[in-house]
């Protein structure tokens, strides 16, 4: 059956419900480059405003899932578990997490995304390692998983191509923060991985796509349901994204911080989240109960086994593992600008959204589909909520290359930090668990 895209856009714009056949047609035609970006953008905006009902969401996700090949990991004997985050600022957890879990005997066939709106993307961060490729063919997954326990790959023309194209289009058209579009994007990638269980990190707060707990819980519930209908058990952890995670924001910066987590020298919040998720994944894999799992994860870090897995992953995917010992091999920016505290007091706000927007403006993310990101720019944050500062203390150091990009970034940072006379408690990192 063939349809008119203009008519289908109009139907969704006017609040109508589309059939499974119509939605599958849209995905197939767009993936085959027979629907123009301008029409798909209009359709995505109509979804953003009018949503999908449960049947539409199931059909759309299923069509995305089958837009390419689905992995067959039957040749991998180890339990297969993955984790995905709904996206945040400074959220580099996947990068230290996957090697830790792989070092504990879990296979992690991770298909990730690029930067999306103001949030960073695992693929862009990994690609700041010279030579590292995230373009991995489906046939290569089983062998790499059997050898080193982890693959960190992107959507390709053969693996969830619909998400590859829709993701890039949503990034440049303001159509990211839509519950059905986020749920279908994440779950089509994860169900394509042929995994035994999935851990989802649903971010809540200014720097997340879900600004409050209620919306985050609804997104979580929707993804649990999609998982259930595809026989993939899903556990969701709701976590704070009101301020950036860790101290580093930007692509190369976040690789350096990920390596520090694997050396046992990472910031407390990233380290805690990484170890919590690692023990959850080891438990989901059936390798240990929750009490023992945390110890296994900590041991994988302290023994250097997880760092060794990262080195093997980098080498296997085309990069130079010596970057771990010598992070100066990563791209670095030519200039530094320091933001200082205008007064003494306590930090009560270090806003993830403002810092996320500023990093896109610096060049760490994209504003147009074809933009090339600058892996070297970003933030090293020196003062976060709960810290005390004196006038003139650094709040953040900005690594930058282009004066107009820096000016543009600074123009959105006016309210990023707030300093008060009284301290505010640090936000709780973990806000709830849904299974
Ligand atoms: N992560 C994804 O893979 N897709 C989204 O839409 C948001 C976060």
């Amino acid at each position: 059956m063939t349809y008119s895209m203009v008519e289908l856009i109009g139907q969704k714009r006017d609040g109508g419900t589309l059939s499974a056949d119509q939605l599958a047609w849209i995905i197939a035609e767009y993936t085959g480059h027979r629907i123009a970006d301008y029409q798909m953008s209009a359709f995505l905006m109509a979804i953003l405003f009018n949503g999908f009902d449960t049947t539409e969401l199931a059909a759309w996700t299923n069509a995305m899932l089958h837009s390419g090949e689905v992995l067959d990991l039957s040749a991998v004997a180890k339990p297969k578990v993955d984790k995905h985050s709904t996206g945040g600022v400074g959220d580099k957890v996947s990068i230290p997490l996957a090697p830790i879990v792989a070092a504990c005997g879990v296979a992690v066939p991770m298909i990730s995304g690029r930067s999306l709106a103001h949030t960073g993307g695992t693929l862009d961060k990994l690609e700041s390692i010279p030579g590292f490729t995230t373009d991995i063919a489906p046939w290569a997954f089983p062998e790499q998983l059997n050898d080193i326990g982890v693959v960190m790959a992107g959507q390709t023309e053969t693996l969830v191509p619909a998400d590859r194209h829709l993701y890039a289009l949503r990034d440049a058209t303001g159509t990211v923060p839509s519950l059905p579009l986020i749920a279908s994007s994440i779950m089509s990638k994860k169900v394509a991985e042929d995994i035994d269980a999935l851990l989802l990190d649903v971010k809540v707060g200014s720097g997340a796509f879900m600004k409050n707990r209620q919306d985050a819980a609804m997104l979580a519930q929707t993804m649990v349901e999609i998982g259930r209908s595809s026989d993939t058990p899903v556990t969701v952890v709701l976590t704070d994204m009101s301020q950036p995670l860790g101290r580093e924001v930007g692509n190369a910066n976040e690789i350096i911080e990920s390596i520090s987590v694997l050396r046992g020298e990472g910031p407390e919040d990233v380290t805690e989240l990484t170890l919590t998720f690692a023990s959850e994944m080891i438990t989901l894999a059936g390798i240990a109960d929750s009490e023992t799992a945390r110890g296994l994860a900590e041991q994988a870090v302290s023994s250097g086994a997880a760092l060794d897995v990262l080195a093997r992953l980098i080498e296997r995917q085309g990069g130079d593992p010596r970057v771990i010992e010598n992070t100066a091999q990563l791209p670095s920016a030519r200039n530094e600008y320091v933001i200082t505290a205008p007064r003494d007091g306590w930090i009560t706000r270090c806003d993830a959204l403002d810092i996320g927007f500023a990093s896109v403006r610096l060049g760490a993310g994209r504003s147009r589909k074809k933009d090339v990101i600058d892996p070297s720019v970003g933030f090293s944050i020196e003062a976060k909520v709960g810290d005390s500062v004196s006038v003139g203390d650094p709040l953040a150091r900005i690594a930058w290359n282009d004066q107009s990009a820096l000016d543009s970034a600074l123009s959105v940072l006016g309210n990023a930090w707030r300093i008060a006379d009284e301290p505010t408690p640090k936000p709780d990192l973990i806000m709830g668990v849904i299974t």
Side-chain angles (χ1 to χ4, degrees):
M1 184 79 176
T2 186
Y3 298 96
S4 153
M5 189 58 187
V6 186
E7 287 173 19
L8 296 179
I9 295 168
Q11 232 172 292
K12 190 35 77 187
R13 177 201 61 211
D14 297 338
T17 303
L18 271 62
S19 69
D21 198 51
Q22 288 170 324
L23 294 167
W25 179 83
I26 293 173
I27 291 291
E29 293 300 294
Y30 184 62
T31 308
H33 308 287
R34 292 179 295 275
I35 289 175
D37 272 356
Y38 59 84
Q39 288 193 312
M40 195 51 147
S41 306
F43 189 67
L44 293 173
M45 193 58 86
I47 298 172
L48 186 136
F49 283 119
N50 291 326
F52 271 153
D53 70 18
T54 318
T55 317
E56 285 177 302
L57 180 57
W60 181 258
T61 309
N62 193 45
M64 287 179 72
L65 164 67
H66 293 291
S67 62
E69 288 178 36
V70 172
L71 293 180
D72 174 3
L73 300 182
S74 51
V76 180
K78 292 179 226 174
K80 297 163 275 283
V81 181
D82 191 18
K83 167 262 177 190
H84 199 90
S85 157
T86 55
V89 179
D91 179 9
K92 72 279 295 168
V93 166
S94 290
I95 299 167
L97 174 66
I100 293 175
V101 175
C104 295
V106 183
V108 187
M110 189 179 279
I111 305 174
S112 301
R114 298 194 175 279
S115 67
L116 198 55
H118 61 279
T119 69
T122 302
L123 301 180
D124 293 325
K125 293 169 200 177
L126 287 168
E127 287 175 3
S128 69
I129 300 171
F132 194 99
T133 180
T134 56
D135 190 346
I136 309 292
W139 59 261
F141 274 70
E143 197 180 323
Q144 184 168 330
L145 288 169
N146 282 327
D147 288 351
I148 61 175
V150 55
V151 176
M152 296 188 85
Q155 319 94 317
T156 64
E157 288 307 317
T158 38
L159 209 47
V160 270
D163 187 55
R164 176 183 169 89
H165 298 297
L166 288 173
Y167 197 96
L169 188 63
R170 288 168 59 216
D171 185 34
T173 55
T175 49
V176 174
S178 147
L179 189 154
L181 293 179
I182 296 173
S184 55
S185 165
I186 293 177
M187 293 308 290
S188 62
K189 285 194 283 290
K190 300 296 112 174
V191 176
E193 291 173 351
D194 190 18
I195 45 181
D196 301 315
L198 174 65
L199 177 66
L200 289 174
D201 177 7
V202 174
K203 299 282 183 205
V204 190
S206 80
F209 297 122
M210 297 294 131
K211 306 295 180 196
N212 59 58
R213 203 194 161 99
Q214 201 184 352
D215 290 349
M218 204 180 295
L219 173 61
Q221 203 53 54
T222 304
M223 293 194 286
V224 169
E225 289 302 330
I226 297 174
R228 186 171 296 147
S229 62
S230 1
D231 289 331
T232 308
V234 178
T235 297
V236 185
V237 185
L238 302 181
T239 69
D240 175 66
M241 188 32 70
S242 59
Q243 61 174 347
L245 189 62
R247 299 267 163 187
E248 300 295 328
V249 177
N251 296 289
N253 289 22
E254 294 192 43
I255 293 294
I256 295 174
E257 193 164 81
S258 301
I259 293 170
S260 76
V261 172
L262 290 178
R263 289 195 188 290
E265 297 162 0
E268 199 186 317
D269 56 352
V270 195
T271 302
E272 180 52 34
L273 216 50
T274 304
L275 291 172
T276 302
F277 290 168
S279 60
E280 190 65 42
M281 287 172 75
I282 295 165
T283 310
L284 285 171
I287 286 180
D289 59 32
S290 51
E291 277 110 76
T292 333
R294 172 82 183 210
L296 290 178
E298 286 172 354
Q299 212 182 331
V301 174
S302 59
S303 66
L307 202 57
D308 188 48
V309 172
L310 179 66
R312 295 176 71 197
L313 171 73
I314 293 173
E315 186 162 35
R316 185 72 173 241
Q317 294 191 205
D320 182 351
R322 285 175 300 181
V323 78
I324 292 176
E325 298 306 326
N326 179 17
T327 53
Q329 284 185 11
L330 291 166
S332 62
R334 289 185 294 278
N335 310 292
E336 183 180 87
Y337 179 94
V338 184
I339 303 179
T340 55
R343 51 165 291 193
D344 295 351
W346 298 87
I347 304 289
T348 56
R349 170 183 158 104
C350 169
D351 189 63
L353 185 62
D354 292 349
I355 295 169
F357 276 138
S359 20
V360 174
R361 287 173 179 226
L362 275 181
R366 299 173 187 78
S367 327
R368 285 167 303 186
K369 267 179 87 177
K370 292 213 162 68
D371 282 353
V372 176
I373 63 157
D374 181 346
S376 69
V377 297
F379 284 76
S380 298
I381 298 168
E382 305 253 347
K384 292 179 61 175
V385 174
D387 293 344
S388 74
V389 290
S390 303
V391 62
D393 280 354
L395 298 180
R397 297 176 193 280
I398 302 180
W400 64 278
N401 285 320
D402 178 273
Q403 183 68 55
S404 61
L406 174 69
D407 294 342
S408 173
L410 291 174
S411 73
V412 293
L413 287 171
N415 293 318
W417 279 266
R418 188 176 301 142
I419 303 175
D421 294 331
E422 300 297 328
T424 298
K426 289 181 197 297
D428 287 337
L429 199 53
I430 295 180
M431 301 167 69
V433 178
I434 299 172
T435 49

